[in-house]
Amino acid sequence: MRGLVLANLGTPAAPSTDAVRAYLREFLTDRRVVQIPPLLWKPLLDFVILPRRSPVVAEKYAEIWMDEGSPLLAHTTRLAAAVAARMPGWKVLPAMRYGQPALGAAIEKLHGEGIRDITVLPLYPQYSTTTTASVEDVVDAARARLPGARIETVRDYHDDPGWVAAVAGSIRAHWAAYGRGEKLLLSFHGIPERLVKGGDPYAAQCEAGTRAIAAALGLGREEIVLTYQSRFGRERWLQPYTLATVERLGREGVRRLDVVCPGFSVDCLETLEEIAMQNADAFRAAGGGEFRYVACLNDSSAHAEALAEIVRAGGIPGRSVSDTSENHA
Ligand SMILES: C=CC1=C(C)c2cc3[nH]c(cc4nc(cc5[nH]c(cc1n2)c(C)c5CCC(=O)O)C(CCC(=O)O)=C4C)c(C)c3C=C
Ligand SMILES: [Fe+2]
Ligand SMILES: [Fe+2]
């Protein structure tokens, strides 16, 4: 038996202010995510950001909450089941970097069942020091605690042919169902520009993935737009921003805009609320027509098959790392 952990970001346990505060505190005290010195950051976080943000964000979660709970966790759990169904001989667990089910505990659970060969697949197609490297931190700590465990992490799969085909296929299916929009906007989660200048390969991978998806769809440069969403804080993040771009496209009178979020493996707050609600409203308010959101790959068979193949192949050649220390910034 071998083990596979599908590691996603994390999400609150409930759409309540308390649960959101606990989640945001864990997430935003990770120095991979926010690099402000703790002596400055902790008081700002505890006395300004968390009290202000938690109730507002809790209301947003309430709008998208499912019977099964948080969309991010529900879709990740279903995706793990879909991948497991394609991987006999493997035990597959969903896990979260922040909150529950905790990543470190999932690795320990597999180890406790006698499984020594464990692959951790961060559900981030593009590598970033803010996300993937933080998963690697937890894997490094688990490796040190668990003698005899051979734990590998898949670094990224931003241009994996199976994944690119799955994303392109989801866009083609959307076109078949609703007709084709005038433009296809690909919106990725942003990160501070400073990190990219310091060597984070994230933006280059978003660009390369966008080119691969456009090529698979036979789209030219003028038909696609790459943007970055979800800016947090005052610093300059990767440009162009999604919100400013959809407002511009609305002003320019775009009648039908297709929007896809290939940096998100499953639907979550950032896609269902920020993109499909907030950005859709902003597009129409600026004078745009139909804003048509293309769902994430979620637990689709094309997605499960692409991920299973990446893991079976031992990761993307040259990018699957058994010792992740070299990646640490
Ligand atoms: C400094 C702050 C943040 C960085 C850097 C960042 C990078 C980053 N995040 C994702 C994926 C997701 N982020 C999600 C929510 C979210 N992200 C931040 C901040 C940063 N993200 C916050 C504060 C939040 C919580 C919501 C809010 O308060 O606005 C989610 C959704 C979680 C859910 O429960 O649905 C995802 C997914 C990536 C891929 C990334 C860098 C590449
Ligand atoms: Fe985020
Ligand atoms: Fe957001």
Side-chain angles (χ1 to χ4, degrees), residues 53 230 270 274:
R53 195 173 185 97
S230 316
E270 310 296 79
E274 183 176 349

Side-chain angles (χ1 to χ4, degrees), residues 32-112:
R32 294 289 192 182
V33 179
V34 176
Q35 296 81 27
I36 301 169
L39 241 59
L40 278 173
W41 179 237
K42 280 286 185 76
L44 190 62
L45 186 63
D46 278 332
F47 297 110
V48 182
I49 292 166
L50 294 178
R52 266 194 215 159
R53 195 173 185 97
S54 307
V56 178
V57 172
E59 277 183 34
K60 296 181 180 190
Y61 274 106
E63 289 188 63
I64 60 157
W65 212 254
M66 299 161 58
D67 291 338
E68 296 155 83
S70 165
L72 181 93
L73 176 56
H75 290 305
T76 302
T77 305
R78 289 190 207 159
L79 175 59
V83 172
R86 287 169 173 77
M87 300 188 74
W90 291 70
K91 174 146 190 178
V92 184
L93 294 179
M96 296 288 146
R97 172 61 185 82
Y98 312 104
Q100 301 299 322
L103 173 58
I107 296 170
E108 275 176 25
K109 186 167 186 232
L110 294 172
H111 188 265

